[in-house]
Amino acid sequence: MPFIVSKRVQGVHKVTQDEILFNQITEEAMQANLAIKDTSGTRTCYVKNISPQNIKKCHVSDKIQILEKFVSSHKDLIERDNLEDCYDIFAIAKKTGGVRWITAPNEELKVALSEVKEIFELFMNGNCAHSSAYAYVKGRSTLSAVRKHQLHKSRWFLKTDFSDFFGSINYAWVSKTLGNIFPFSEIVKEERGKVALDKIINLCLLKDGLPQGSPISPLLSNIVMIPIDHYIANKLREKYTLVNDIKYRFCYTRYADDIHISSRVKFDQTEMLDFMKDAIARFSAPFILKKEKTQFGSNAGKNFIFGVMYTQDGTMSMGHKERDRLKATIHAFVMDYRHNKLWDLKELQSLQGNISYKRQINKTQVDELIQKLNTKYSIDIDGLLLMLIKRT
């Protein structure tokens, strides 16, 4: 009885098992997806039985051969006694203070793990995350996660995260969980498939955890979280807070280890945290919620979701600190330009990208800031950036 993730189909029609298993979406449904600019939506199902015809269509033997070919091609890495020698460890500063340790594989291992990523994406038709997961998925971002809560018209938020998320994802749990996700569920039914997949899982891990900095870790973390995300999202659709005989439902999003649950009305945070702990235990997941990172409150004050301010009137804002930071960066750019200290291409693209990202948060707010600075410096900042990027 595996979990299956497929492309979400817009419109009202009966979804067939072929559509779910093999991404066989009609042209009409695909056009509907494009019409609402939704190309990243996925549907997760828990299927009791897969028909023999569809199991045959899955080409399990071909998939096992792909895994075995990979194992054979990278035999030296897979049989290596100490993979730690294949990693470089360094620290990067966090915006919130402190450091994050990155464990980056050397070129040989990086190539191999990138190949694993491609194989897993191929096996799952590119649908490697639940619709509630917003990190590491093309077409999704922190902004689209915030917009989900915004569309829900949420006013009360519970924020929490997992302690040592990547490091907690160990071999035993990955192996067990993949065995419940299609098509890995069919692959492990054959001894050859299970042996090859287990060797690949071990290659993806370091000290029995997913290393931050590996090309496979983001994808694999999303895949193994599919059952938990599916359970939480489905159960929260059933749960509600009753106020004046009106049922107020919940909204759930996860961005890597960051979890947000929201509602239009105040709800019992203790009960919700107990529900989350039950969900973790139900799937024997190796996670612990961080008490020190758990927050509960409304958007009446300074309420930030994934670093974006969600205001009392339900709109998104940069926040004063981010606005001042952007203003200072633009000032430095203009002053350097006037003194013939030209920025390199990477710096120019970074500023242009930052402005573009902030416009996605609140276009009016950013346009007003840019216009004020254009007037102050008698310059067209967007135009100057574009010209310098083309010239550099």
Side-chain angles (χ1 to χ4, degrees):
M1 295 193 292
F3 289 90
I4 302 170
V5 185
S6 61
K7 186 71 69 180
R8 176 175 291 160
V9 181
Q10 301 297 331
V12 180
H13 77 288
K14 186 176 181 180
V15 181
T16 67
Q17 195 173 83
D18 275 16
E19 283 180 323
I20 295 170
L21 291 172
F22 308 113
N23 237 25
Q24 293 179 351
I25 303 175
T26 64
E27 180 64 24
E28 181 183 3
M30 183 55 72
Q31 290 304 318
N33 281 348
L34 294 173
I36 64 168
K37 299 181 180 179
D38 179 12
T39 57
S40 68
T42 53
R43 177 200 303 271
T44 302
C45 303
Y46 188 55
V47 179
K48 289 185 178 180
N49 296 297
I50 300 176
S51 69
Q53 296 92 335
N54 277 332
I55 289 177
K56 188 176 180 180
K57 284 184 188 178
C58 179
H59 302 295
V60 174
S61 295
D62 291 346
K63 288 179 170 59
I64 292 174
Q65 286 180 11
I66 290 172
L67 296 179
E68 288 180 328
K69 183 179 179 182
F70 173 87
V71 170
S72 176
S73 298
H74 300 283
K75 184 179 178 182
D76 290 344
L77 275 175
I78 288 171
E79 294 181 353
R80 191 178 181 121
D81 290 331
N82 193 354
L83 272 178
E84 289 182 51
D85 295 340
C86 297
Y87 285 90
D88 291 322
I89 301 174
F90 57 92
I92 59 172
K94 291 183 179 180
K95 280 187 176 181
T96 54
V99 297
R100 174 177 286 110
W101 289 98
I102 301 299
T103 311
N106 64 19
E107 190 60 29
E108 181 187 12
L109 182 55
K110 182 180 177 181
V111 168
L113 294 176
S114 296
E115 190 176 336
V116 175
K117 180 175 179 288
E118 291 175 3
I119 291 170
F120 283 11
E121 287 174 332
L122 174 68
F123 284 6
M124 296 186 71
N125 295 312
N127 304 312
C128 304
H130 188 270
S131 58
S132 297
Y134 284 82
Y136 323 122
V137 180
K138 186 177 180 180
R140 302 182 198 173
S141 65
T142 52
L143 291 182
S144 49
V146 176
R147 288 191 186 108
K148 184 174 180 179
H149 294 278
Q150 186 182 38
L151 289 170
H152 192 74
K153 299 182 179 178
S154 295
R155 294 182 61 83
W156 286 86
F157 296 83
L158 175 65
K159 308 171 191 177
T160 188
D161 67 15
F162 297 124
S163 179
D164 189 21
F165 178 62
F166 282 100
S168 298
I169 298 176
N170 56 46
Y171 166 79
W173 192 60
V174 172
S175 181
K176 177 185 174 182
T177 305
L178 285 184
N180 289 315
I181 298 171
F182 181 85
F184 304 104
S185 56
E186 307 310 307
I187 289 170
V188 298
K189 287 178 181 176
E190 297 193 25
E191 185 62 23
R192 287 172 47 224
K194 189 176 188 313
V195 169
L197 185 60
D198 280 352
K199 288 180 179 180
I200 291 171
I201 292 170
N202 270 315
L203 185 66
C204 295
L205 302 173
L206 179 66
K207 295 182 178 179
D208 205 24
L210 285 178
Q212 286 199 62
S214 163
I216 188 60
S217 293
L219 181 87
L220 192 52
S221 70
N222 269 343
I223 293 174
V224 295
M225 281 298 294
I226 286 169
I228 294 180
D229 287 335
H230 180 69
Y231 176 80
I232 292 172
N234 273 17
K235 286 297 180 182
L236 287 182
R237 289 191 190 102
E238 300 170 6
K239 294 171 89 58
Y240 58 84
T241 303
L242 192 65
V243 178
N244 297 327
D245 294 325
I246 300 174
K247 295 178 180 179
Y248 292 94
R249 308 284 177 178
F250 296 93
C251 178
Y252 164 72
T253 58
R254 181 182 62 81
Y255 193 91
D257 59 342
D258 290 324
I259 294 164
H260 287 70
I261 296 172
S262 68
S263 176
R264 296 186 187 183
V265 296
K266 191 175 183 179
F267 56 94
D268 189 327
Q269 61 168 314
T270 302
E271 180 184 327
M272 190 58 70
L273 286 169
D274 287 341
F275 162 73
M276 288 294 300
K277 291 172 185 175
D278 174 71
I280 293 168
R282 181 175 291 269
F283 292 93
S284 303
F287 301 127
I288 298 173
L289 297 177
K290 278 185 186 176
K291 288 183 179 179
E292 66 274 17
K293 287 290 188 75
T294 300
Q295 300 176 4
F296 180 71
S298 75
N299 63 338
K302 290 183 177 180
N303 182 51
F304 284 88
I305 312 175
F306 303 119
V308 178
M309 180 178 279
Y310 184 70
T311 65
Q312 190 171 357
D313 61 1
T315 60
M316 291 188 290
S317 168
M318 285 189 288
H320 294 300
K321 287 185 179 179
E322 281 300 315
R323 182 185 183 278
D324 291 345
R325 191 175 288 119
L326 178 61
K327 182 179 178 181
T329 305
I330 293 173
H331 172 79
F333 161 67
V334 173
M335 291 300 101
D336 284 349
Y337 174 73
R338 286 182 170 175
H339 291 89
N340 292 319
K341 297 178 182 178
L342 300 183
W343 289 15
D344 62 30
L345 182 61
K346 186 177 180 181
E347 291 172 318
L348 293 169
Q349 290 176 330
S350 176
L351 176 56
Q352 187 185 54
N354 191 19
I355 292 172
S356 176
Y357 174 75
K358 295 297 193 299
R359 279 195 169 110
Q360 291 180 62
I361 295 174
N362 191 314
K363 187 175 186 302
T364 300
Q365 188 183 24
V366 175
D367 285 348
E368 287 178 354
L369 173 63
I370 296 293
Q371 187 55 49
K372 284 182 180 178
L373 295 176
N374 284 346
T375 302
K376 178 179 178 179
Y377 299 120
S378 300
I379 202 169
D380 176 7
I381 292 165
D382 287 319
L384 179 61
L385 269 172
L386 186 61
M387 180 195 73
L388 292 174
I389 287 172
K390 286 182 177 179
R391 183 190 296 175
T392 304

